[in-house]
């Protein structure tokens, strides 16, 4: 078995697991970061979305051998500084204010897709936002307040 | 929050108040508490069942039938396998009754050898192993020996009836005799999967007292509790059920969790260690309950000025292989089948039958979305036949105050059908847009390029359409349901001065954990943050009934308000001249803890006879209207739902953001029901059993949804609230179909209204 | 239930070829198809995997000798962002934009779309219509395979077990136009019901030349509609020609009913979207 080393939320991680082990399972089970969720295991629902080298991906579709030497960001690391204060970052705050999370199971993945979009310079245009989160299924909200929350942050940034 | 002073039973309430339609104001949430568990959900700290760690836990899996109907002759584990390193459980391991306790005792947890397999994916055996590799390796090494039996798939061919109802009023023949126009219609709706994004999940932990502690994703801890006691022969203390953070339910986690909790428990008791049963998506879709498919037939008589004079309606529902909640789903479906309209001569007949498909169960709306799709489409077709506006025909027939329903119920208060209709029509500029779409359609036809049938395209590729529908939804349980439930909710002041609310009502995104403390705090005159909401653990909270039927705020919330009032009165009586918010901490220190248990008392003046099915079917009704705009690609018949105006009367809005959230979410589920959510079957097996094939709307498919909240308070509830969860689900689907008709000229009688069905209808229309 | 078969990560093509020559191994690039396939629910689990993620030789977008060259590991996001692609082959950019959503586009590769050989692969009609040629290689050497010869049967390709797709080479003849249309159940994350690419060179009064009509989701493999191409070849796409082409297409297709759609719908809609593309191209 090989050891794979990578960064997760700014912290070095090392795991000795089969190379085909899903990044999703490494995060949830080997590293105890259960914030990233499994909704389908086939890259359709986006609940397992994380940011890999700045791009949003489905962690259920990434084998850990391809994460060697790379940078992973999960919902737990959305804003390290804010977390240390026990606070939320602007995107999380906007979700809370606007009521963008209901049952919350899609929320971590949704936040990561939104964060990747905003970090890449995404604007407040509603069609652009909807395209950015088209890979994140939500069954509770109808997406309305999620789009509102992301737009609110985009307009401020 | 707007306040009204009510003297229950004597004061006539004013006309409905419209709440601030649709304006987005930054910081609007202030004044209402933020979602209590919001920060935990937003940081990934919230723990759902699969996030929990139980050291030493094994993994469980279910061995299922691959046939729709067969006799189970034997269960044969491969003799070449060493089965001692795993645990295999069958029906013989069940200590109590092999029954999943619900309404009828017809569904086993596991099919016994010698018994009958009644549906594809029915559970036959259970396997637990220390790791998932072993499970994968061994699950294919258990052979089910069966003798196939002839299955029944057509609910109209089945002779096994789970339930039937017959509600009649007036003289149907006389009604039809007096009609200027009679229209018939047959409507069909298929299965719909709840598609909560968190799959069903249970972890069973054996207790030292021979009992079981369940941690799981569920809506109704006490349903699971009751099921455990029955099948595992446990006492109320030995069986303990704890609801964990739940990623969506929508009814799909009302009854099914009992099954999976029983399975996990059997394995855990046999293995003498915790067992995790976390479904994968494919299994969840294949094996769990869905919305009941239905066939609804209408025969309607109207006068030439659009008044309903006769409604003859037949409902046939497919219950699947076991009864589960079918009688109650059928009941609600039948009671709502005429739509929110007065008609002096009505006959509503319904029956639900058994087929060899997985049992169907609760899904938001619970029978009403099915029958109200039919009722609204029928009325829209009548409007077309009379050359009358769909809004106008509704104006002429919608229930008004003091009208009588088919069960003989007089609607004495809280009637807002007309209000929601006018709000929807006004906000959407319905008539004006209809004129424009009508003109567009005429131009299309006039140029000779009919968008149909041939292999050639028309000049214009896109057609716009607008559609309207109206709905009603009885608040709370049907008939005597609430009286029989005798729900209890409690508010306590602990010895260390904490205020706690104790109910079995679960949070699954609707906001229970936020609004209950909010309501109680409001009564006590303290900040919401000072009120705790106890976890939904059967060892700690009383049985408040299930979190279903849009009853949570209305019924259980009402109980917490009454309990809070009593607590306030009691503490203030002990501390004269000191208001509760100043007195309570000292009172706790000096007097000790105070706990107030509030049990449901029947709503005043509400009575229902279950044998004759007459009287007040519900204490009050909620009312909803939707206007939907679509754009249809005439080349392909693809439908893009652009906008929905959703107007809902919820009695009283407790928390605007959470309330809108229910309207928006329910509306999109109904849009999906109308357009792309489809389950095809072959030999009783669902073909769409993965997320790549069972499709729900993405953010790009979802329309703009603008929710307008209306308040027509119900005086029987302490806060006036009537429930919101299901109401939006009843109304958007027929509005979508009406909009498709407006754009294309064809009526689709079957849901989902797929491009395949629309194009076929266009071909037929152009051939004719 | 996800499987974890052993995986090798070669550092370069030489090592990759060596590994493939030594025995069967399933290549994995972005993983968006392969990771679903290895759960064991949709077919047997491979015995060994070959991780392509270190092979820089398979990356890159360039223009050479009047052709667009895409490394097999080029992702859909890279295609969408590439100014070279947007300028020279916008239909491929359109196709890439309809695949999945952001998460899939960031990882999925064009080589994977080709090797997976789904009849519904969204880039495949574009590549067929554009006369693309694949460069494949292994220990036994490199060879060119035209896209038209690549899809042999349902999910079966002309690739030998010891070969990898290295590059896709798309000629860019002067004056060639290419249009793309996908019909799916929803606007993202949708497997197509019908997917089409139409290519031609407009020679004015001499009409359209080198017409290509390629489709997916209407047969066991992505196909070219030869009879329909013949109808359009050498003619202008007048309304009459468009009607004839649509009829011919409906006649030559043999789609099936499946979980997503029906044979009737596919046949009718393929004809209609071709008709619309012709109408839009000619402007009547």
């Amino acid at each position: 078995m090989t050891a794979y080393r990578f960064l997760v939320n700014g912290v070095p991680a090392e795991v000795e697991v089969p190379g085909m082990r899903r990044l999703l399972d490494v995060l949830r089970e080997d590293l105890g970061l259960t914030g990233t969720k499994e909704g389908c295991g086939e890259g359709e629902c986006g609940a397992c979305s994380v940011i890999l080298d700045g791009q949003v991906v489905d962690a259920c579709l990434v084998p850990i051998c391809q994460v060697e030497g790379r940078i992973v960001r999960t919902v737990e690391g959305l804003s390290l500084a804010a977390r240390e204060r026990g606070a939320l970052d602007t995107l999380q705050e906007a979700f809370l204010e606007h009521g963008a999370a209901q049952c919350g199971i899609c929320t971590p993945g949704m936040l990561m897709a939104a964060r990747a979009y905003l970090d890449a310079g995404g604007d407040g245009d509603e069609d652009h936002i909807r395209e950015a989160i088209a890979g994140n299924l939500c069954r509770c909200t109808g997406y309305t307040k999620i789009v509102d929350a992301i737009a609110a942050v985009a307009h401020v940034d | 929050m707007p306040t009204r002073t009510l003297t229950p039973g004597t004061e006539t309430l004013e006309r409905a108040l419209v709440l601030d339609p649709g304006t987005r104001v930054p910081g609007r949430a202030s004044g209402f508490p933020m979602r209590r568990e919001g920060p935990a959900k937003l940081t990934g700290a919230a723990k759902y069942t699969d996030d929990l760690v139980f050291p030493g836990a094994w993994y469980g899996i279910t061995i299922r039938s691959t046939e729709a109907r067969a006799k189970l002759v034997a269960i044969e584990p491969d003799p070449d396998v060493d089965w001692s390193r795993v645990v295999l459980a069958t029906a013989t391991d069940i200590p109590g009754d092999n029954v999943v306790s619900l309404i009828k005792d017809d569904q086993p947890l596991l099919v016994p050898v010698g018994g009958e397999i009644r549906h594809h994916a029915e559970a036959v055996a259970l396997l637990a192993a220390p790791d998932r590799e072993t499970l994968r390796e061994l699950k294919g090494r258990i052979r089910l020996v069966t003798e196939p039996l002839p299955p029944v798939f057509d609910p109209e061919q089945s002779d096994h009836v789970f339930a039937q109802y017959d509600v009649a009023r007036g003289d149907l023949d006389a009604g039809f005799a007096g009609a200027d126009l009679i229209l018939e219609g047959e409507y069909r709706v298929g299965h719909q999967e709840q598609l909560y994004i968190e799959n069903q999940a249970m972890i069973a932990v054996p207790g030292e007292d021979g009992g079981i502690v369940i941690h799981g994703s569920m809506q109704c801890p006490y349903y699971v509790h009751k099921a455990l006691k029955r099948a595992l022969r446990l006492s109320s203390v030995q069986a303990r059920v704890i609801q964990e953070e739940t990623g969506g339910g929508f009814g799909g986690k009302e009854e099914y969790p009992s099954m999976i909790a029983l399975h996990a428990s059997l394995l855990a008791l046999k293995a003498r260690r915790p067992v995790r049963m976390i479904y994968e998506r494919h299994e969840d879709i294949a094996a769990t309950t869905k919305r009941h498919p239905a066939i609804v037939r209408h025969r309607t008589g109207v006068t030439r000025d659009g008044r309903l004079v006769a409604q003859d309606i037949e409902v046939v529902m497919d219950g699947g292989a076991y009864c589960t909640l079918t009688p109650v789903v059928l009941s609600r479906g039948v009671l709502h089948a005429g739509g929110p309209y007065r008609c002096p001569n009505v006959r509503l007949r319904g029956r639900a039958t058994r087929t060899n498909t997985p049992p169907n169960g609760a899904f938001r709306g619970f029978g009403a979305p099915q029958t109200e799709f039919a009722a609204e489409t029928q009325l829209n077709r009548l409007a077309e036949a009379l050359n009358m506006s769909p809004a106008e025909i509704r104006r002429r027939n919608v229930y008004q105050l003091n009208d009588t329903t088919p069960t003989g119920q007089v609607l004495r208060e809280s009637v807002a059908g007309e209000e929601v209709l006018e709000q929807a029509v006004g906000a959407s500029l319905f008539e004006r847009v209809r004129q424009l779409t009508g003109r567009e359609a005429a131009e299309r036809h006039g140029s000779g390029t009919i968008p149909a049938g041939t292999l050639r395209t028309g000049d214009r590729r896109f057609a716009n359409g607008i559609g309207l529908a109206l709905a009603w939804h009885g608040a709370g349980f049907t008939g005597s349901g609430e009286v029989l439930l005798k729900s209890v909710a409690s508010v306590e002041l602990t010895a260390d001065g904490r205020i706690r609310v104790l109910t079995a009502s679960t949070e699954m995104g609707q906001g229970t954990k936020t609004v209950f403390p909010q309501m109680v705090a409001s009564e006590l005159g303290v900040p919401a943050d000072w009120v705790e909401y106890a976890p939904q653990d059967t060892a700690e909270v009383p049985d408040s009934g299930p979190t279903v039927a849009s009853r949570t705020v209305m019924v259980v919330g009402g109980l917490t308000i009454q309990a809070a009032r009593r607590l306030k009165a009691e503490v203030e009586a002990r501390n004269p001249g000191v208001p509760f918010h100043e007195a309570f901490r000292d009172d706790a220190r000096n007097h000790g803890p105070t706990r107030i248990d509030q049990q449901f008392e029947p709503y005043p003046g509400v009575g229902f006879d279950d044998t004759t099915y007459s009287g007040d079917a519900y204490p009050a009704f909620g009312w909803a209207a939707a206007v939907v705009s679509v754009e249809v690609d005439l080349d392909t018949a693809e439908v893009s739902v652009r906008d929905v105006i959703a107007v809902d009367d919820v009695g009283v809005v407790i928390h605007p953001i959470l309330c809108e959230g229910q309207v928006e979410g329910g509306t999109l589920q109904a849009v999906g029901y109308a357009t792309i959510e489809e389950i095809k079957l072959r030999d009783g097996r669902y073909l769409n059993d993965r997320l790549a094939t069972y499709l729900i709307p993405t953010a790009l498919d979802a329309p703009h949804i603008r929710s307008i909240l209306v308040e027509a308070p119900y005086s029987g509830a302490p806060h006036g609230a009537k429930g919101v969860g299901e109401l939006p689900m009843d109304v958007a689907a027929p509005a979508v179909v009406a909009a498709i008709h407006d754009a294309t000229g064809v009526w689709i009688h079957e849901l989902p209204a797929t491009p395949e069905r629309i194009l076929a209808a266009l071909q037929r229309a152009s051939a004719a | 239930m996800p499987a974890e078969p052993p995986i090798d990560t070669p550092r370069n093509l030489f090592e990759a070829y060596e590994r493939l020559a030594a025995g069967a191994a399933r290549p994995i690039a972005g993983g968006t198809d392969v990771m679903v396939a290895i759960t064991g629910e949709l077919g047997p689990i491979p015995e060994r995997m070959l991780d392509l993620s270190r092979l820089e030789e398979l990356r890159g977008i360039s223009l050479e000798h009047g052709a667009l060259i895409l490394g097999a590991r080029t992702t859909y996001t890279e295609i969408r962002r590439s100014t070279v692609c947007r300028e020279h082959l916008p239909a491929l950019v359109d196709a890439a934009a309809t695949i999945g959503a952001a998460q899939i586009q960031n990882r999925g590769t064009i080589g994977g779309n080709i090797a997976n050989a789904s009849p519904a692969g969204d880039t495949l009609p574009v590549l067929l219509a554009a006369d693309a040629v694949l460069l494949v290689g292994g220990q036994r050497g490199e060879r060119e395979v035209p896209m038209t010869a690549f899809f042999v049967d349902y999910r079966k390709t002309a690739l030998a077990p010891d070969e990898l797709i290295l590059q896709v080479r798309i000629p860019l003849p002067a004056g060639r136009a290419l249009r793309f249309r996908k019909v799916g159940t929803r606007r993202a994350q949708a497997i197509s019901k019908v997917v089409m690419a139409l290519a031609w060179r407009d020679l004015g009064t001499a009409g359209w030349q080198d017409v290509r009509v390629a489709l997916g989701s209407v047969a066991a493999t992505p196909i070219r509609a030869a009879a329909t191409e013949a109808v359009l070849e050498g003619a202008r796409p007048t309304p009459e020609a468009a009607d004839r082409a649509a009829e011919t297409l409906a006649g030559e297709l043999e789609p099936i009913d499946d979980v997503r759609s029906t044979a009737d719908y596919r046949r009718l809609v393929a004809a209609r979207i071709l008709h619309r593309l012709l109408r839009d191209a000619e402007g009547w």
Side-chain angles (χ1 to χ4, degrees):
Chain A
M1 251 200 294
T2 324
Y4 298 102
R5 294 181 196 81
F6 46 96
L7 281 180
V8 181
N9 300 327
V11 174
E14 179 173 334
V15 292
E16 229 178 278
V17 295
M20 278 299 286
R21 190 159 166 78
R22 302 179 311 173
L23 173 59
L24 177 62
D25 298 319
V26 170
L27 290 170
R28 287 178 55 78
E29 296 178 6
D30 303 316
L31 301 178
L33 295 168
T34 57
T36 308
K37 309 299 180 193
E38 176 162 4
C40 72
E42 53 177 296
E44 288 286 341
C45 73
C48 66
S49 299
V50 298
I51 298 178
L52 179 62
D53 285 352
Q55 294 191 311
V56 68
V57 300
D58 291 321
C60 70
L61 298 182
V62 179
I64 198 66
C65 61
Q66 294 189 355
V67 182
E68 167 73 29
R70 300 177 70 179
I71 298 173
V72 179
R73 209 166 154 207
T74 71
V75 67
E76 288 95 339
L78 204 55
S79 170
L80 300 169
R83 246 179 85 232
E84 264 144 42
R85 291 199 306 276
L88 305 173
D89 84 338
T90 51
L91 187 58
Q92 290 163 322
E93 195 65 59
F95 267 53
L96 188 64
E97 266 269 329
H98 284 81
Q102 288 188 29
C103 84
I105 197 77
C106 81
T107 302
M110 191 71 73
L111 285 168
M112 300 322 285
R115 174 45 62 200
Y117 168 75
L118 293 167
D119 285 353
D123 62 18
D125 176 274
E126 185 177 331
D127 291 333
H128 295 165
I129 293 172
R130 286 180 182 268
E131 191 189 352
I133 60 170
N136 295 80
L137 296 180
C138 175
R139 196 51 159 164
C140 293
T141 67
Y143 303 103
T144 305
K145 292 176 179 347
I146 293 174
V147 174
D148 287 348
I150 298 169
V153 177
H155 285 128
V156 165
D157 283 355
Chain B
M1 134 182 160
T3 54
R4 293 178 166 277
T5 310
L6 307 175
T7 309
T10 61
E11 182 176 321
T12 311
L13 296 169
E14 301 159 51
R15 292 206 46 88
L17 167 75
V18 178
L19 197 75
D20 192 26
T23 44
R24 292 274 171 271
V25 175
R28 186 180 170 194
S30 65
F32 297 92
M34 298 281 160
R35 176 175 289 276
R36 170 79 48 111
E37 80 288 2
K41 285 175 171 171
L42 290 160
T43 57
K47 297 280 182 215
Y48 299 78
T49 302
D50 193 36
D51 300 331
L52 302 173
V53 176
F54 289 88
W58 280 18
Y59 299 87
I61 201 173
T62 311
I63 310 298
R64 300 183 178 279
S65 86
T66 54
E67 295 162 281
R69 186 166 178 234
K71 178 161 175 221
L72 180 65
V73 173
I75 301 170
E76 285 177 0
D78 187 334
D80 293 333
V81 169
D82 173 16
W83 294 98
S84 66
R85 56 194 172 104
V86 299
V87 159
L88 184 62
T90 66
T92 55
D93 293 300
I94 300 170
D97 298 335
N98 184 5
V99 162
V100 183
S101 210
L102 201 54
I103 296 178
K104 280 204 182 112
D105 285 347
D106 67 339
Q107 186 176 30
L109 296 68
L110 296 170
V111 181
V113 170
E116 186 177 316
I117 290 167
R118 294 223 166 100
H119 65 86
H120 177 265
E122 185 164 12
V124 177
L126 305 166
L127 185 62
D131 57 80
R132 283 163 302 194
E133 255 321 296
T134 308
L135 277 185
R136 179 220 299 290
E137 193 199 314
L138 294 184
K139 74 171 175 166
R141 310 287 286 274
I142 297 168
R143 200 173 91 124
L144 302 181
V145 182
T146 61
E147 279 162 15
L149 292 166
V152 175
F153 296 133
D154 181 349
E156 298 203 278
Q157 297 295 319
S158 170
D159 56 9
H160 186 111
V161 177
F162 287 128
Q164 56 192 17
Y165 301 102
D166 200 323
V167 176
R169 202 168 152 257
D171 182 343
L172 209 57
D173 292 332
F176 281 117
D180 295 316
L181 173 72
I182 296 177
L183 184 74
E184 294 188 348
E186 179 178 298
Y187 306 93
R188 289 172 181 261
V189 291
H191 292 91
Q192 189 186 16
E193 159 60 38
Q194 297 86 346
L195 223 286
Y196 29 76
I197 304 291
E198 182 214 11
N199 291 310
Q200 302 255 5
M202 288 286 166
I203 300 175
V205 183
E208 276 134 28
D209 58 350
I212 271 282
V213 180
I214 288 286
H215 297 261
S217 185
M218 68 187 83
Q219 296 173 223
C220 315
Y222 274 97
Y223 277 11
V224 178
H225 190 248
K226 181 174 170 207
L228 289 176
K229 284 166 59 179
R230 175 93 185 267
L232 304 179
R233 211 170 273 148
L234 298 175
S235 72
S236 286
V237 169
Q238 284 175 309
R240 181 175 170 197
V241 180
I242 302 170
Q243 182 235 359
E244 301 292 346
E245 202 72 77
T246 295
F250 317 114
K253 292 177 182 171
E254 174 173 350
E255 73 267 37
Y256 194 81
S258 297
M259 174 76 79
I260 180 174
L262 286 168
H263 288 170
S265 298
L266 271 183
L267 287 172
L269 288 170
K270 198 163 182 185
R272 284 191 286 229
R273 50 176 66 245
V275 170
R276 310 171 70 89
M277 290 204 87
I278 318 288
Y279 280 11
E280 294 187 340
R281 180 60 64 181
H282 157 78
E283 177 176 26
D284 197 301
I285 298 180
T288 71
T289 61
K290 310 263 172 300
R291 184 183 295 290
H292 288 66
I295 303 155
V296 186
R297 297 186 177 93
H298 278 249
R299 185 159 187 266
T300 316
V302 285
T303 61
R304 73 174 56 82
D305 63 342
R307 280 171 222 286
L308 293 166
V309 289
Q311 284 180 307
D312 186 5
I313 303 173
E314 185 200 4
V315 179
V316 179
M317 282 195 184
D318 181 347
Y322 295 106
C323 183
T324 69
L325 296 169
T326 293
V328 199
V329 175
L330 178 68
S331 160
R332 185 175 279 273
V334 167
L335 290 170
H336 289 75
Y341 309 109
R342 70 177 157 276
C343 179
N345 309 295
V346 180
R347 186 167 180 198
L348 311 170
R349 284 171 295 159
R351 73 183 188 283
T353 62
R354 180 174 73 182
T355 64
N356 294 106
T357 61
N360 297 308
F363 188 170
R364 197 174 199 162
F366 208 75
Q370 293 96 313
T371 61
E372 296 203 62
F373 161 68
E376 289 303 290
T377 306
Q378 176 79 354
L379 194 68
N380 282 328
R381 289 179 59 223
L382 282 161
E384 183 194 26
L386 294 170
N387 203 23
M388 182 178 289
S389 155
E392 185 56 33
I393 199 170
R394 286 173 169 81
R395 253 177 226 120
R396 295 186 185 187
N397 292 285
V398 68
Y399 282 123
Q400 301 288 347
L401 207 56
N402 295 318
D403 278 341
T404 307
T405 72
T407 61
Q409 175 169 6
V410 177
L411 300 171
R412 288 189 192 84
E413 60 164 303
S414 193
V415 174
E418 188 174 2
E419 183 68 44
V420 299
L421 173 65
E422 298 306 348
Q423 285 294 321
V425 166
S428 63
L429 304 175
F430 179 71
E431 299 295 4
R432 179 92 185 288
V433 175
R434 236 181 108 240
Q435 267 183 343
L436 292 170
T437 55
R439 203 156 48 226
E440 258 185 43
E443 280 163 18
R444 268 200 312 274
H445 287 260
S447 71
T449 53
I450 302 163
T454 63
L455 305 173
R456 89 163 54 125
T457 56
D459 283 344
R460 299 207 202 161
R461 184 173 152 190
F462 294 102
N464 293 301
I466 191 165
L468 168 71
L470 192 61
W472 61 334
H473 198 89
F477 263 40
T478 304
S480 321
E482 288 299 341
V483 175
L484 294 168
L485 268 180
K486 294 199 186 56
S487 301
V488 174
S490 310
V491 176
E492 73 176 355
L493 174 60
T494 67
D496 54 349
R498 292 179 296 137
I499 304 165
R500 303 178 80 226
V501 179
L502 302 104
T503 86
S505 295
T506 55
E507 170 70 64
M508 46 174 149
Q510 358 71 311
T512 312
K513 287 183 182 171
T514 307
V515 294
F516 275 33
Q518 176 196 331
M519 291 189 292
V520 165
S522 178
E523 289 297 325
L524 298 175
V526 301
D529 287 348
W530 290 11
V531 178
E532 293 175 21
Y533 191 61
Q536 278 55 60
D537 176 345
T538 55
E540 222 185 312
V541 297
D543 187 355
S544 323
T547 313
V548 302
S550 309
R551 63 187 289 275
T552 299
V553 162
M554 178 187 177
V555 178
V556 186
L559 294 177
T560 65
I561 287 177
Q562 291 173 310
R565 287 179 185 164
R566 283 170 55 198
L567 177 66
K568 182 169 192 272
E570 215 178 283
V571 169
E572 286 179 352
R574 281 198 290 269
N575 298 271
V578 185
F580 177 89
H581 70 268
E582 284 175 22
F584 77 95
R585 288 196 189 88
D586 287 337
D587 186 271
R589 206 177 6 258
N590 301 332
H591 176 264
T594 307
R595 175 164 166 153
I596 310 288
D597 298 314
Q598 185 76 26
Q599 179 163 81
F600 179 79
E601 297 292 324
Y603 291 113
V606 177
F608 190 72
D609 186 334
D610 291 286
T611 46
T612 59
Y613 239 65
S614 60
D616 301 327
Y618 302 94
F621 288 85
W623 309 85
V627 173
V628 171
S629 304
V630 303
E631 181 189 72
V632 180
D633 182 331
L634 295 172
D635 293 349
T636 61
E638 289 168 286
V639 177
S640 172
V641 182
R642 311 292 310 211
D643 270 279
V644 180
I645 302 233
V647 187
D648 290 80
D649 153 48
V650 301
V652 166
V653 178
I654 305 295
H655 190 304
I657 300 258
L658 295 176
C659 194
E660 284 174 1
Q662 290 304 294
V663 173
E664 289 157 11
T667 296
L668 186 61
Q669 288 183 356
V671 167
Y673 185 45
T675 55
I676 61 172
E677 296 187 38
E678 184 169 29
I679 295 220
K680 298 183 182 177
L681 287 94
R682 184 187 298 141
D683 300 330
R685 180 173 80 84
Y686 299 136
L687 294 178
N688 310 69
D689 58 2
R690 303 169 54 215
L691 283 204
T693 51
Y694 185 83
L695 304 181
I696 66 171
T698 68
L700 276 176
D701 303 291
H704 290 274
I705 304 168
R706 187 173 134 197
S707 47
I708 298 175
L709 303 174
V710 169
E711 294 188 323
Y714 167 55
S715 68
H719 40 17
K722 293 188 289 191
V724 64
E726 295 170 281
L727 185 56
M729 188 91 211
D730 294 340
V731 74
V736 170
V737 166
I740 290 170
H741 170 261
D742 192 48
T744 63
V746 295
W747 285 109
I748 304 301
H749 288 232
E750 188 170 357
L751 290 187
T754 59
E756 285 76 3
R757 292 193 167 115
I758 296 168
L759 205 55
L762 286 170
Q763 273 182 288
R764 282 194 300 273
S766 85
Chain C
M1 210 176 295
E4 295 169 357
I7 183 163
D8 296 314
T9 302
R11 292 166 300 179
N12 52 56
L13 260 188
F14 178 78
E15 286 185 2
Y17 289 166
E18 227 180 19
R19 188 57 211 78
L20 282 173
R26 179 84 177 264
I28 176 171
T32 58
D33 286 320
V34 175
M35 291 297 280
V36 181
I38 58 143
T39 59
E41 282 169 18
L42 298 173
I45 298 166
E47 277 185 34
R48 286 203 78 86
M49 311 291 299
L50 188 73
D51 176 13
L52 305 182
S53 68
R54 295 296 154 114
L55 303 180
E56 289 307 299
E57 304 95 316
L58 302 187
R59 297 194 63 216
I61 301 175
S62 60
L63 281 173
E64 261 169 59
H65 310 303
L68 175 63
I69 317 273
L70 300 172
R73 281 184 59 217
T74 305
T75 66
Y76 303 119
T77 295
E78 284 168 347
I79 290 170
R80 289 184 74 185
R81 288 192 182 150
S82 152
T83 42
V84 168
C85 289
R86 288 186 355 204
E87 194 183 318
H88 295 279
L89 203 62
L92 186 64
V93 174
D94 293 341
T98 67
I99 296 176
Q103 290 88 335
I104 300 297
Q105 291 173 16
N106 286 333
R107 293 277 298 166
T109 64
I110 189 147
N113 205 218
I114 297 166
N116 191 45
S118 162
D122 292 312
T123 65
L124 308 183
V126 175
L127 299 177
L128 273 176
D131 296 326
V133 174
L134 301 178
L135 181 69
V136 312
Q139 222 176 43
R140 297 176 288 126
E142 295 183 356
R143 62 192 182 101
E144 289 190 339
V145 183
M147 282 288 291
T148 46
F150 190 72
F151 301 108
V152 165
D153 202 341
Y154 178 69
R155 292 184 182 268
K156 282 192 168 49
T157 71
L159 205 60
D162 61 346
E163 288 178 317
L164 291 174
I165 300 172
L166 304 178
Q167 284 179 349
V168 188
R169 295 174 169 175
I170 304 147
L172 301 173
R176 190 211 35 218
L178 195 51
R179 300 284 181 269
F180 171 82
R181 177 80 195 269
K182 169 178 171 179
V183 178
T185 308
R186 59 184 177 186
R187 286 181 59 193
Q189 296 281 127
I191 299 171
S192 66
K193 297 183 186 181
V194 178
V195 57
M196 175 183 295
L198 172 69
W200 71 92
R201 285 196 308 131
D202 191 335
L203 298 183
T205 46
W208 281 15
Q209 304 288 322
D210 302 333
V211 176
R212 309 278 184 262
V213 179
L215 295 103
S217 296
V218 293
T221 68
I223 58 164
R224 291 253 309 265
T228 308
E229 290 173 354
V231 163
L232 291 167
E233 186 73 28
R236 288 228 67 79
T238 59
E240 296 72 35
D243 284 355
R244 243 180 308 123
E247 263 178 62
T248 308
L249 186 60
E252 79 172 301
L253 291 181
E254 286 173 350
I256 58 170
D257 293 341
D258 68 7
V259 70
R260 257 172 299 286
S261 188
T262 64
D264 284 344
Y265 181 82
R266 289 182 155 115
R267 188 180 294 112
L268 198 57
V269 166
R272 290 161 77 92
I273 67 182
L274 175 65
H275 196 270
R276 176 68 61 187
L277 286 174
L278 296 170
R279 182 197 267 268
D280 286 347
E282 192 72 339
W284 45 267

